[in-house]
Every structure is written in C-alpha cells, then in structure tokens.
Amino acid sequence: MKYLILLLFPFLVSAQTHRYIYDYHHRLTAEDTLKKQEFYHLDVNPDNAYYYDRKYFVADSLDKAGQGFAFQGEMSDFFMKDRNSGKFSLFTYKGFDSFKLVDQPQQKWKIQPETKMFGNLKIQKATSTWSGRNYEAWFAPELPFQEGPYKFSGLPGLIVELADDQDNFRFTLVRTEVLPEIYVLDMWYNNQFNKPVEISYVQYSKMLLQYYKSPLQTLITHDIDYKNSPLITDDGTMIDTEQKFRSYETTERNRIRKYNNPIELDLKVKYPVK
C-alpha cells in the first residue's frame, strides 16, 4: 500500500463510489507499546457508505474474477451506513454464523480554530468525547462528505486523521480514488456465508460471554465430530482429542481477556477472570 493522496474531481457525480483508504494503527491491549497496522476502505456511495478491511476487497476481487473467495486471516467486522437515516449496520462473524447489529451513534463534535496542511489539503481540528474515549479529529472541508473511519461522522468534511488521547487507535487517510461506477461489497451475493441474523448489542454481548465460556461450542452445535475429523484452528493447532479441546478453550479464554480493548469502551464486555 503506497502512502499517496490522490485528489480526484469532480465530487458531485452521483453514480460513483468515492473510495478513501485509511492506515489504521491500534493497540490490541491498552498496555501494548507496539501497534498492529491494517488498511481499511471507506466507500462512499450516494445512499450508503461501507467501511471494511482491505482484505475483503482483495478476496471479493479474486472471487469476481472467477478465482474463488479466499480471505486471509480471521474474518473482521465491517460496517454499512445508511447515509439518509444515519444508521450503522455492523456485520460480524462467530464460528459458522454471521450477525447484523444496528445502531445510530452520534458524536458531539466541538470544532476548533486550529488548521494545518495535509498534503495540499487544508484541514481543521475537532474534538469529541464518545463511548468512553476522548478523540481528536482533523477534517477536510474540501472533501464534501460528512463521513470518516469506523462509526465516526458528522463533521462538515471528510475525516482525514483521527486518534484518541491515549493513542490506542489512530486513523490516517493515505489514498483517495473515484470509481466510475458504484461499487458494493456484497459478502452474500454468491452465498459465501449464511445471511446475517439481526440481533441487538445486548444480545451480542451475551453471545460473546457465551462464546467465552465455551469457545468451541459451535462444534457441538453443528454436530462436528472433531475426534474423527480433526479441527485445524487459525493458528494451525489440530484438535482431535478431548484434552486438546479443553486446552484450546483455556488458551482462547486467556486470549479474549487479554485482547479486550475495543474502540467503544461503553460496549466493552466484562469477562469473568475464571
């Protein structure tokens, strides 16, 4: 991924997708000194906006080219915003199932007088306290979309930089593109996954707690006989005995507790220590 800003005009043609690619650095735990780096796409269409890991775009492109769907790594969440209503739909995966959660977050921004140059863009500072964290954002009035990374939006211009005051999360715009036709990332257009089941955030929190109690419950639910058909986990671990089953669940619970540092602290799940 090249660190390059391309400002393409005009912006007001309706049947286009305006794509903004963010360099996303984040701490997996609040104590980490090192950060994980990922790239995310923000696709702004006339009625909807989509925010997703670039790996989805690569997998989707390969599939549409007839090479099959191949997603590297764990399936991450992605978002769709209804730009008319302001509602966000989060799509997430657990085991063999997919879920849809809907909310309507609103940051109360305070626009500050400070400005600076970002490439050839003049950007302006704004601050907000939202979902348990304090944020500093820089937006570009010249990019006429009230959108930004993750669920951040509502400023009079695209958000090009954003970080919390503890520097757990940092988003930086690195590339812009204008696609001649509307692009929609549809994870279900070829029945790649089951259609998502809509649940509330309260239900989702309960589901995560249930998963924590039994990370491999999905095997039992789907009648998968891991003893005769060994399961290979994301890290390459083979599970084919009761002992390995229990050991993996203990390791997974420890991992879940350790890496519990969400952007939205108000939605942070309180996992039991044991």
Side-chain angles (χ1 to χ4, degrees):
M1 176 64 65
K2 296 181 179 179
Y3 287 71
L4 176 66
I5 298 295
L6 298 177
L7 299 181
L8 302 177
F9 297 91
F11 283 100
L12 301 179
V13 178
S14 61
Q16 293 178 330
T17 289
H18 296 265
R19 173 168 293 157
Y20 302 96
I21 301 178
Y22 290 89
D23 183 8
Y24 173 42
H25 290 253
H26 60 105
R27 291 193 178 112
L28 298 179
T29 76
E31 295 76 27
D32 282 345
T33 56
L34 298 177
K35 293 180 180 179
K36 182 177 181 180
Q37 181 186 28
E38 298 173 287
F39 291 96
Y40 270 74
H41 285 205
L42 172 65
D43 288 350
V44 181
N45 293 341
D47 295 321
N48 299 303
Y50 299 86
Y51 181 73
Y52 55 92
D53 191 323
R54 180 172 173 79
K55 289 183 289 188
Y56 279 116
F57 167 75
V58 174
D60 185 59
S61 298
L62 290 173
D63 190 56
K64 288 178 178 177
Q67 299 182 39
F69 184 89
F71 189 90
Q72 295 184 351
E74 183 179 356
M75 301 294 290
S76 55
D77 297 344
F78 73 97
F79 299 85
M80 180 185 74
K81 177 188 177 183
D82 184 323
R83 299 184 65 210
N84 298 309
S85 68
K87 292 183 179 180
F88 280 81
S89 296
L90 178 153
F91 298 90
T92 189
Y93 306 91
K94 282 299 172 190
F96 299 95
D97 302 311
S98 55
F99 301 91
K100 175 183 177 181
L101 294 80
V102 179
D103 68 345
Q104 193 166 2
Q106 292 181 338
Q107 294 88 33
K108 295 181 179 179
W109 295 105
K110 294 181 180 179
I111 297 179
Q112 308 295 338
E114 293 97 324
T115 62
K116 65 179 182 179
M117 296 304 295
F118 183 83
N120 60 343
L121 279 176
K122 184 177 181 180
I123 59 177
Q124 188 168 355
K125 181 179 175 180
T127 56
S128 179
T129 297
W130 177 69
S131 197
R133 298 187 190 273
N134 301 315
Y135 290 97
E136 177 181 295
W138 292 82
F139 66 95
E142 295 176 52
L143 302 180
F145 297 114
Q146 295 186 17
E147 312 297 346
Y150 191 67
K151 296 181 181 179
F152 296 98
S153 62
L155 284 167
L158 186 85
I159 296 173
V160 300
E161 289 184 344
L162 185 140
D164 69 291
D165 62 354
Q166 299 300 310
D167 206 31
N168 282 287
F169 309 95
R170 180 171 294 275
F171 306 84
T172 305
L173 180 67
V174 294
R175 187 177 179 88
T176 75
E177 301 173 0
V178 177
L179 309 183
E181 297 180 353
I182 293 176
Y183 176 88
V184 176
L185 179 73
D186 188 347
M187 302 305 296
W188 299 279
Y189 69 95
N190 271 339
N191 297 316
Q192 297 287 357
F193 305 98
N194 294 327
K195 289 289 185 179
V197 176
E198 185 168 342
I199 60 175
S200 68
Y201 274 87
V202 172
Q203 291 172 309
Y204 182 57
S205 179
K206 291 179 180 178
M207 185 181 73
L208 292 180
L209 280 170
Q210 184 60 43
Y211 174 80
Y212 173 81
K213 294 176 183 177
S214 181
L216 293 178
Q217 178 65 35
T218 183
L219 300 182
I220 301 172
T221 303
H222 289 82
D223 295 324
I224 295 177
D225 185 359
Y226 63 88
K227 295 180 180 179
N228 291 320
S229 299
L231 171 70
I232 307 297
T233 63
D234 291 338
D235 61 4
T237 302
M238 178 181 290
I239 299 176
D240 55 2
T241 67
E242 183 73 18
Q243 181 180 1
K244 290 181 179 179
F245 184 99
R246 299 304 173 195
S247 176
Y248 177 83
E249 288 208 319
T250 299
T251 301
E252 181 68 359
R253 279 192 287 269
N254 291 336
R255 186 192 68 81
I256 291 171
R257 284 201 310 273
K258 180 179 180 180
Y259 300 119
N260 188 20
N261 188 35
I263 291 178
E264 296 179 67
L265 281 180
D266 290 351
L267 299 178
K268 184 175 182 177
V269 178
K270 295 180 180 180
Y271 295 107
V273 177
K274 293 184 179 180

